[in-house]
Amino acid sequence: MPGGVVFRVGAELCFLPAHIASKLLPVPRLARVPGAPPELVGLALVESETIAVVDVRPPLSMSRPAVPVRTSDLGAMLVCTYLGERVGLVGIEVVATGNFEAAPAEAVVWRGEQAHPFDLGAVITSLREGRWAV
């Protein structure tokens, strides 16, 4: 039985395994990044390490405001590590943690519904692209 976190991004049910999703925290104080795309809401200090905090809600979603948000509006932050890089995900609704029934294609089952693997690699790739990336 795979262990990890099941969460919603909009209407989509997603899963990240425990070896990637390491912590669920309140959103800490954020430092804005001038010129960054709206999905990069800022940088946060987590366990003495600066990590990017990314709003993973769909960009055209009515739930993602066009103006800067307060950290209290972002809910919880899921801290993840992927290929040695840490990132905080916000704009999610965590629905369950623990061990889940395995489903095809690395998905899991939560309350009869399949939670598909979240593409954290795509999020990190998008952070590395663009004129604002260093």
Side-chain angles (χ1 to χ4, degrees):
M1 290 193 133
V5 179
V6 173
F7 56 96
R8 289 196 187 280
V9 177
E12 185 178 355
L13 193 62
C14 302
F15 171 75
L16 279 172
H19 70 274
I20 292 175
S22 59
K23 292 186 181 292
L24 185 61
L25 306 169
V27 179
R29 188 172 189 175
L30 298 173
R32 303 285 180 205
V33 179
E39 62 266 22
L40 179 62
V41 293
L43 302 174
L45 190 60
V46 175
E47 298 172 339
S48 301
E49 181 181 2
T50 302
I51 66 169
V53 178
V54 181
D55 186 344
V56 296
R57 292 176 290 188
L60 298 176
S61 168
M62 295 303 289
S63 61
R64 180 186 290 177
V67 295
V69 295
R70 298 179 309 220
T71 56
S72 60
D73 295 336
L74 295 172
M77 177 175 72
L78 184 60
V79 179
C80 303
T81 305
Y82 182 76
L83 298 177
E85 188 148 356
R86 290 180 85 194
V87 63
L89 304 181
V90 295
I92 64 173
E93 176 193 351
V94 175
V95 296
T97 61
N99 293 318
F100 304 95
E101 178 186 336
E106 299 182 37
V108 298
V109 177
W110 178 76
R111 294 189 176 174
E113 189 178 351
Q114 277 197 13
H116 300 282
F118 182 77
D119 191 355
L120 187 58
V123 171
I124 290 176
T125 297
S126 74
L127 290 177
R128 293 181 179 157
E129 297 174 351
R131 65 177 176 79
W132 56 275
V134 290

